[in-house]
Amino acid sequence: MTRETLTIIDNRTGKTYEAPIEHGAIRATDLRKIRISEDDFGLMSYDPAFMNTASCRSTITYIDGDKGILRYRGYPIEQLAKRSTYLGTAYLLLHGELPTATELNDWTWQITHHTWIHENMKKFMDGFHHDAHPMGMLISSVAAFSTFYPEAKDGNRETRHLQIVRLIAKMPTLAAFAYRHSRGLPYAYADNDLTYTGNFLNMLFKTTEVKYKPDPILEKALEVLFILHADHEQNCSTNAVRSVGSSQVDPYCAVAAGTAALYGPLHGGANEEVLKMLQVIGSKDRIPEFIKQVKEGKGRLMGFGHRVYKNYDPRAKIIKQMADEVFSVTRPNPLLPIALELERIALQDEYFVSRRLYPNVDFYSGLIYQALNFPMEMFPVLFAIPRTSGWLAQWQEMRLDPEQKIARPRQVYLGPSERDYVPIGRRDAGAQRP
Ligand code: ACO
């Protein structure tokens, strides 16, 4: 019978160690017993960007990056995008099963009836400069929620559930308020007759009409985009939520940390960068020159490449298919033909082929968001809204994991060894440097 263990020989000492393998992983703490001497701290693994380190065990999202597979709780993303709603998907992520009709009605009712935010939040929003980036406003205002709901620190089941409902319900309101503030428009309140995405469009774009009627194609497009962005296992922002949340801070602060991580151009900010890149390229005939510059190391092809997907990102495939439907009711986006040609050329180019760089979710999402009339600064905000359900599912799983302690990585120290303090008058380079 094969043993599910790993045998390690330490060539420094000649000693042999055996580490159990469980679910395809060894425990990094098992390396600690590998020591040269008694006062040695033990062997560590060095992995600054978590390239091959599992930070948790999870039952939420499965990705096979080589095959381009993404599943939430076992359900393929293609089926969810076609047949589920965003709130049904959020329920699945959080509860582990698809809701029954009664469960979905109840869940939708709860979310719908928590969309309003405290009136003081408007004063908070008003404090931002007119040109403040909405993502900065979102990060700060979601963190500010922790001051409105101090009970959120309690970890009991009911309190946890209430904060989850509040966060999923109120993120679109904060996002819409941030948008309207930057436009100098009066804030618009939620309409409980509308769907989650329909109401979001209402809070963003309602002007003088008595009842805002969202375009059903755009409402549906946003629904699909929200499903596609709901979770993506241990990505940068989710890792931030888990790491900060492991200190047992309230979920508003943990989600603020995730939102901050998402703001970065290598993560949720990438679709904004894609549009800027397409604008700089300007026309199809300038694509070869642009590709040449990327290959020379002068910038990246934004919206291409992924830490996990070494194949076409399945989310990008769905968004690309959806583009035609959206553009049938909006103005066609003149950047689309440039994007399609850029993809075609890159996918034939040895540089991208050999590095297995394919379009990721951000390559086409920005084009659709732009067609839906969103300014570029809103793109990462549109990512943060649906990702909130994924963050919270992961946060909840982390809080209920009996093995989870405060996240606290180790380090490989390469600094000076102990040395004596040098008084300021004697600090010439020779006195200080070894
Ligand atoms: N354009 C050009 N070259 C690239 C790109 C790109 N978009 N992405 C990776 N490469 C190259 C790197 O230069 C490197 O080449 P080398 O081996 O010759 O040094 C190789 O491919 C591997 O790249 P890494 O940066 O090591 O890969 P990593 O897994 O760390 O990065 C990342 C993944 C950050 C997504 C990267 O592909 C990237 O910067 N892409 C552009 C930004 C982007 O689209 N981000 C959105 C990701 S999806 C999301 O967050 C929702």
Side-chain angles (χ1 to χ4, degrees), residues 5-45:
T5 61
L6 178 74
T7 301
I8 305 161
I9 302 168
D10 185 347
N11 292 322
R12 298 170 303 176
T13 60
K15 284 190 193 160
T16 300
Y17 302 84
E18 193 156 315
I21 300 174
E22 241 185 304
H23 308 294
I26 59 158
R27 282 182 183 263
T29 46
D30 282 343
L31 299 176
R32 268 196 171 174
K33 59 189 175 204
I34 304 176
R35 299 166 179 226
I36 301 181
S37 62
E38 276 310 303
D39 49 3
D40 176 10
F41 291 130
L43 194 69
M44 294 184 281
S45 59

Side-chain angles (χ1 to χ4, degrees), residues 39 96 98 127 145 170 184 222 225 230 251 304 339-340 345 400 410 421:
D39 49 3
L98 289 168
F145 269 150
K170 293 180 200 303
L222 208 50
L225 286 161
F304 258 65
L340 289 168
I345 293 178
L400 295 175
R410 298 196 61 194
Y421 183 81

Side-chain angles (χ1 to χ4, degrees), residues 26 137 197 277 339 430:
I26 59 158
M137 289 191 248
T197 51
M277 173 188 76

Side-chain angles (χ1 to χ4, degrees), residues 265-268 270 294 299-307 310 315 351-352 355 357 360-362 383:
L266 294 188
H267 192 13
V294 169
R300 290 201 158 191
L301 175 47
M302 299 309 285
F304 258 65
H306 199 276
R307 172 62 59 80
K310 301 301 168 198
R315 302 167 300 172
Y351 176 95
F352 298 93
R355 289 170 178 76
L357 300 170
N360 61 47
V361 68
D362 288 316
F383 194 154

Side-chain angles (χ1 to χ4, degrees), residues 63-74:
I63 300 174
D64 182 331
D66 285 336
K67 296 197 183 112
I69 291 173
L70 169 62
R71 297 182 199 131
Y72 298 159
R73 302 283 190 184

Side-chain angles (χ1 to χ4, degrees), residues 187-374:
Y187 302 120
Y189 288 86
D191 180 343
N192 288 357
D193 295 336
L194 298 174
T195 63
Y196 189 77
T197 51
N199 175 51
F200 179 47
L201 291 168
N202 160 65
M203 290 190 293
L204 287 164
F205 300 129
K206 183 177 178 356
T207 52
T208 54
E209 61 274 52
V210 177
K211 190 111 182 134
Y212 179 84
K213 285 201 185 77
D215 183 301
I217 291 185
L218 304 188
E219 188 181 357
K220 173 72 186 152
L222 208 50
E223 193 87 43
V224 173
L225 286 161
F226 278 11
I227 292 170
L228 300 182
H229 286 88
D231 196 48
H232 211 232
E233 52 119 302
Q234 306 313 313
N235 57 87
C236 178
S237 56
T238 301
N239 182 57
V241 170
R242 278 187 178 256
S243 183
V244 171
S246 74
S247 73
Q248 301 194 351
V249 72
D250 64 74
Y252 301 103
C253 290
V255 166
T259 314
L262 195 65
Y263 195 2
L266 294 188
H267 192 13
N271 51 12
E272 189 174 339
E273 298 302 318
V274 171
L275 280 203
K276 285 184 192 157
M277 173 188 76
L278 293 173
Q279 278 165 356
V280 167
I281 296 173
S283 62
K284 284 202 248 181
D285 56 313
R286 294 181 56 189
I287 293 173
E289 174 56 25
F290 177 78
I291 295 268
K292 187 168 160 274
Q293 285 175 7
V294 169
K295 286 160 63 175
E296 286 167 1
K298 298 177 194 153
R300 290 201 158 191
L301 175 47
M302 299 309 285
F304 258 65
H306 199 276
R307 172 62 59 80
V308 182
Y309 292 118
K310 301 301 168 198
N311 200 326
Y312 213 103
D313 181 336
R315 302 167 300 172
K317 222 178 256 177
I318 297 170
I319 296 178
K320 193 177 170 188
Q321 284 160 2
M322 204 169 69
D324 285 341
E325 212 173 316
V326 171
F327 295 137
S328 71
V329 287
T330 64
R331 280 177 289 124
N333 193 325
L335 297 176
L336 180 66
I338 303 175
L340 289 168
E341 182 65 0
L342 187 56
E343 179 193 325
R344 193 189 65 78
I345 293 178
L347 290 181
Q348 288 175 0
D349 192 295
E350 201 277 329
Y351 176 95
F352 298 93
V353 173
S354 63
R355 289 170 178 76
R356 302 175 74 190
L357 300 170
Y358 290 85
N360 61 47
V361 68
D362 288 316
F363 194 68
Y364 287 106
S365 64
L367 292 168
I368 298 207
Y369 290 143
Q370 197 177 46
L372 297 180
N373 257 339
F374 289 107

